[in-house]
Amino acid sequence: MAAGGGSASIVEFFGGEDGYRCGYCRSDTGNLSHGMWAHSMTVQDYQDLIDRGWRRSGKYVYKPIMNQTCCPQYTIRCRALHFQASKSHKKVLKKMLKFISKGDVSKAASEEEPMDAHIDDVATCDFPYKNESQVSQSELTPLAVDHAERVEDEDKDSGETKEEGNVPKVESDSVQICTDKDTPVPAEPSHSAKAVHAPPKPGKGADLSKPLCRKAKDIRKERKLQKLLQNQMGTVEGSQLQGDQAFLLQNSKSKTNQPKNIEDFIFVPLPDDAQHKLEFTRFLCDSPLEAEHAPNGPECGYGSFHQQYWLDGKIIAVGVIDILPYCVSSVYLYYDPDFSFLSLGVYSALREIAFTRQLYVKAPDLCFYYMGFYIHSCPKMRYKAQYRPSDLLCPETFMWTPIEQCLPLLEHSKYSRLNQDGKAEDEGRLKELGRVRVLHKRTVMPYSVYKKRRKGPSDEASVQQYASLVGQSCSERMLLFRS
């Protein structure tokens, strides 16, 4: 899927030479990462960035320096179509159903399935990134496209000259921010968790999903969903069902003596005298990602969404997800600690996996659930390996490797080239620095033109580092802001 609407990502790159405090091992200066501020970003660019090890926290997008940071963070994705809930996952789903239908709170289950063992609380941590950029909006607005094309034509008619010089050092202030699901739970309770008692400011374009407490019309909708999936796979005579579609169809049918899937727990009809009512709503929320609709995309569109969990009219949790061309990416979860006995972290993850499977019916490319980072060196963060089948991203080739093959390597060394094919290399690596797109004085131009016009010390080393980290494709689409 290509980014639509003619929009372009605009970023400021900050580098990442200085270490800062690690929220996992508590090292004061061991956490190392590169970062950039996203003034705007297309969903396709962010999809490609997270497939190269990047991740966003608000508008700040960062990439751990894997071979240097104290706690290497590997991007992890779950193959949602093939996901099978474990016994502990089913315990959480059953506990929620029992609570809603009968009002029963099992203390034993709560003690056995502590919230902190499955999901990270929203906490505060040290994170070095600049305060919101002081660059004015007018500076970020490119001139007409035809002017940018004339600049590129100018480059074709002239040769390139090499400039030597020192790279200016970028000063960065450390500030406190709310962290995402990749931050371990501190010993003290979260200060931000209580904030969910008041409903967050609603975004635009409400997209309501099916509530857990379904009535007859909801059951009919589910049957229509199954028929739609069957129609998608049986249109061409003699054609074979694709593996993922056939698997999902098989799991959508109720069969005797087969283990239940997550939909069997989430969409089960409840008795009329159920003690509680849980509703699930979704709204677009503010983020650097540009909301986008595509003909072959999900009905709700792509972008960032708040997923709100309402229990008897009271909001008890808010999850933030990014819906991207190939995945649902989980960002973070706020929850009311009074309901931690329901293991809302695990429950929300399972709901998001089920949601990913629903989106797949309309958007066949969207079939993965990204869970952020897997940190093997931090025992509290190993819970993500329980969501299988899943893969880890190789930090050198940026190819996916089944987690079963990765764990023995990570037991031996906290940093590892997970792809064991010695001949494999980064196919998206930077090949032509001159083609990197730059936004300078409201003019879009290739870097080869910009470096001739630039006055003062050369910034080629910084641009080279940026382009190497984001890859050739993103560097040619995104606009790197230069003052």
Side-chain angles (χ1 to χ4, degrees):
M1 181 198 126
S7 60
S9 303
I10 303 177
V11 300
E12 286 182 81
F13 180 64
F14 297 148
E17 289 76 20
D18 298 328
Y20 58 97
R21 182 176 179 272
C22 177
Y24 306 113
C25 68
R26 307 302 183 188
S27 168
D28 289 334
T29 59
N31 202 342
L32 297 166
S33 68
H34 298 285
M36 58 186 178
W37 189 268
H39 292 277
S40 65
M41 182 163 288
T42 67
V43 291
Q44 183 64 58
D45 285 342
Y46 187 54
Q47 175 73 69
D48 291 348
L49 285 176
I50 62 175
D51 285 338
R52 291 186 65 82
W54 291 83
R55 182 162 170 79
R56 79 174 184 90
S57 180
K59 291 190 175 183
Y60 186 73
V61 189
Y62 63 100
K63 184 181 188 302
I65 305 177
M66 295 291 285
N67 60 348
Q68 298 180 31
T69 191
C70 54
C71 298
Q73 302 164 55
Y74 299 85
T75 302
I76 182 171
R77 73 177 187 184
C78 172
R79 282 170 259 157
L81 305 187
H82 296 263
F83 173 75
Q84 292 291 330
S86 66
K87 289 184 179 180
S88 63
H89 293 152
K90 290 180 180 179
K91 283 183 180 179
V92 172
L93 294 172
K94 290 177 181 178
K95 180 169 58 178
M96 178 65 81
L97 282 175
K98 195 172 183 180
F99 172 72
I100 294 173
S101 59
K102 300 180 180 180
D104 180 72
V105 179
S106 175
K107 293 184 178 180
S110 300
E111 294 172 357
E112 185 178 353
E113 298 287 342
M115 180 113 177
D116 291 352
H118 296 275
I119 202 69
D120 308 319
D121 193 359
V122 176
T124 57
C125 70
D126 295 328
F127 211 31
Y129 76 100
K130 287 190 173 183
N131 289 310
E132 186 165 357
S133 175
Q134 301 302 312
V135 177
S136 66
Q137 186 60 41
S138 61
E139 292 182 85
L140 297 171
T141 305
L143 294 177
V145 177
D146 59 341
H147 179 80
E149 290 176 346
R150 287 201 297 271
V151 172
E152 294 187 6
D153 290 339
E154 172 189 322
D155 178 51
K156 295 177 183 177
D157 298 333
S158 61
E160 294 187 15
T161 58
K162 185 176 181 181
E163 295 183 16
E164 301 292 338
N166 297 322
V167 180
K169 184 177 180 180
V170 177
E171 297 296 335
S172 178
D173 297 325
S174 294
V175 298
Q176 298 281 331
I177 64 168
C178 269
T179 183
D180 58 9
K181 282 189 175 180
D182 298 313
T183 302
V185 182
E188 64 276 4
S190 167
H191 299 293
S192 57
K194 294 288 185 181
V196 300
H197 287 293
K201 184 177 180 181
K204 53 186 176 180
D207 173 42
L208 301 180
S209 64
K210 303 181 185 72
L212 182 62
C213 307
R214 297 192 309 161
K215 297 182 179 180
K217 63 179 181 179
D218 298 313
I219 300 174
R220 290 195 295 269
K221 288 182 181 179
E222 190 68 20
R223 289 172 179 168
K224 288 181 180 179
L225 182 68
Q226 188 178 107
K227 288 180 180 179
L228 175 62
L229 184 60
Q230 290 172 330
N231 291 336
Q232 282 185 342
M233 295 183 290
T235 54
V236 181
E237 183 178 357
S239 63
Q240 294 184 345
L241 295 180
Q242 295 184 6
D244 288 341
Q245 291 178 320
F247 183 90
L248 191 57
L249 176 61
Q250 178 182 357
N251 280 274
S252 68
K253 296 179 179 179
S254 297
K255 293 184 178 181
T256 308
N257 299 327
Q258 279 207 353
K260 291 184 177 181
N261 56 39
I262 51 178
E263 288 82 3
D264 294 327
F265 293 98
I266 292 175
F267 299 122
V268 62
L270 293 174
D272 294 335
D273 60 348
Q275 296 296 304
H276 299 285
K277 182 179 181 181
L278 181 66
E279 294 178 297
F280 182 56
T281 62
R282 188 176 307 109
F283 294 91
L284 273 171
C285 63
D286 183 41
S287 90
L289 298 186
E290 300 287 345
E292 182 180 330
H293 283 79
N296 60 340
E299 292 183 1
C300 60
Y302 300 102
S304 299
F305 293 81
H306 273 155
Q307 300 212 99
Q308 301 175 347
Y309 296 77
W310 295 81
L311 181 66
D312 301 332
K314 174 186 177 181
I315 192 166
I316 63 171
V318 179
V320 177
I321 60 171
D322 293 331
I323 300 179
L324 304 175
Y326 309 127
C327 74
V328 169
S329 176
S330 182
V331 183
Y332 55 77
L333 174 79
Y334 295 97
Y335 64 92
D336 187 334
D338 292 343
F339 295 90
S340 60
F341 65 90
L342 292 174
S343 301
L344 293 174
V346 184
Y347 182 77
S348 67
L350 297 173
R351 292 247 11 177
E352 289 169 2
I353 291 174
F355 179 54
T356 303
R357 288 151 69 123
Q358 286 180 313
L359 294 181
Y360 166 80
V361 175
K362 179 67 170 59
D365 290 336
L366 204 165
C367 56
F368 296 105
Y369 175 63
Y370 283 46
M371 298 177 282
F373 289 137
Y374 174 79
I375 303 98
H376 191 77
S377 58
C378 179
K380 283 190 175 182
M381 296 300 292
R382 294 185 182 182
Y383 71 89
K384 295 182 181 181
Q386 299 173 9
Y387 295 83
R388 298 194 181 188
S390 58
D391 310 299
L392 297 185
L393 186 68
C394 174
E396 297 181 13
T397 65
F398 302 108
M399 297 179 181
W400 296 97
T401 304
I403 197 168
E404 295 82 2
Q405 300 176 22
C406 301
L407 296 180
L409 300 173
L410 297 177
E411 281 292 326
H412 182 263
S413 173
K414 63 181 181 180
Y415 173 77
S416 173
R417 173 192 163 108
L418 301 178
N419 188 314
Q420 295 299 287
D421 181 358
K423 296 181 179 179
E425 57 184 16
D426 174 16
E427 295 180 355
R429 66 188 181 281
L430 176 66
K431 301 178 181 69
E432 297 183 60
L433 181 63
R435 295 179 62 87
V436 173
R437 293 182 82 200
V438 171
L439 176 60
H440 177 59
K441 294 183 178 180
R442 300 185 63 188
T443 304
V444 178
M445 63 187 77
Y447 178 69
S448 56
V449 170
Y450 161 77
K451 75 173 185 177
K452 298 174 192 175
R453 296 184 176 183
R454 176 181 171 84
K455 297 179 181 179
S458 169
D459 63 352
E460 183 168 337
S462 177
V463 176
Q464 173 91 32
Q465 184 183 57
Y466 154 81
S468 298
L469 293 168
V470 304
Q472 186 72 44
S473 295
C474 277
S475 72
E476 291 186 29
R477 289 197 309 260
M478 301 195 304
L479 302 181
L480 175 64
F481 177 80
R482 311 309 282 172
S483 57

